[in-house]
């Protein structure tokens, strides 16, 4: 029974990415069609989504502006973000900054914010 509990804890730990900073902790959790999420630093994420449509959740314990860079794979960036849909009050803060980059402000209440990103030229 102990090995089953350890396995569940390990699988849960691998499912989310955590980036720490002095102010708080950024947690990114894949939901749908996300192959990889990598923390560039405590306020920047690289998200790999090979279909061009994906969902993930973000949360933090501090009020932070987060930058997200979108990629099909490790080398090919999204060509043009068609839309970013965010559930909750952070949705009003979304700004598309470039063909493959957007920013949003997280409230810092540790509540997960669901994000869906669609690339115009998706596969």
């Amino acid at each position: 029974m102990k090995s089953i509990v350890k396995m569940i804890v390990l699988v849960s730990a691998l499912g989310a990415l955590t980036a720490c900073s002095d102010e708080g902790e950024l947690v990114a959790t894949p939901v749908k069609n996300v192959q990889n999420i990598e923390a560039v630093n405590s306020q920047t994420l690289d998200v790999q989504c090979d279909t061009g449509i994906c969902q993930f959740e973000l949360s933090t314990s501090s009020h932070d502006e987060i930058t997200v860079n979108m990629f099909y794979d490790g080398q090919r960036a999204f060509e043009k973000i068609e839309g970013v849909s965010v559930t909750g009050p952070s949705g009003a803060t979304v700004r598309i900054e470039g063909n493959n980059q957007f920013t949003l402000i997280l409230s810092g209440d540790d509540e997960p914010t669901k994000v869906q990103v669609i690339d115009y030229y998706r596969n």
Side-chain angles (χ1 to χ4, degrees):
M1 185 64 159
K2 286 182 181 180
S3 62
I4 293 173
V5 172
K6 288 179 184 176
M7 185 96 144
I8 292 170
V9 169
L10 178 62
V11 169
S12 297
L14 293 174
L17 170 79
T18 304
C20 298
S21 71
D22 291 337
E23 290 121 23
E25 182 175 78
L26 174 62
V27 178
T29 307
V31 174
K32 186 175 181 184
N33 294 330
V34 174
Q35 283 63 49
N36 187 38
I37 299 178
E38 182 179 328
V40 176
N41 58 46
S42 63
Q43 295 177 319
T44 306
L45 297 172
D46 285 351
V47 177
Q48 183 180 334
C49 168
D50 65 2
T51 63
I53 302 174
C54 60
Q55 294 177 354
F56 50 94
E57 291 182 339
L58 300 174
S59 64
T60 184
S61 57
S62 64
H63 185 82
D64 280 329
E65 181 174 80
I66 307 301
T67 300
V68 180
N69 302 302
M70 298 298 302
F71 296 89
Y72 282 105
D73 57 35
Q75 305 297 317
R76 186 173 155 225
F78 271 29
E79 294 179 37
K80 180 181 179 185
I81 293 176
E82 180 177 339
V84 179
S85 174
V86 178
T87 304
S90 294
T93 68
V94 173
R95 289 187 329 264
I96 296 177
E97 302 289 346
N99 290 337
N100 77 314
Q101 183 180 78
F102 67 93
T103 60
L104 74 155
I105 297 173
L106 297 177
S107 61
D109 58 7
D110 279 327
E111 289 296 316
T113 299
K114 186 177 272 189
V115 178
Q116 178 173 293
V117 184
I118 300 172
D119 187 51
Y120 186 80
Y121 298 103
R122 60 193 169 272
N123 292 333

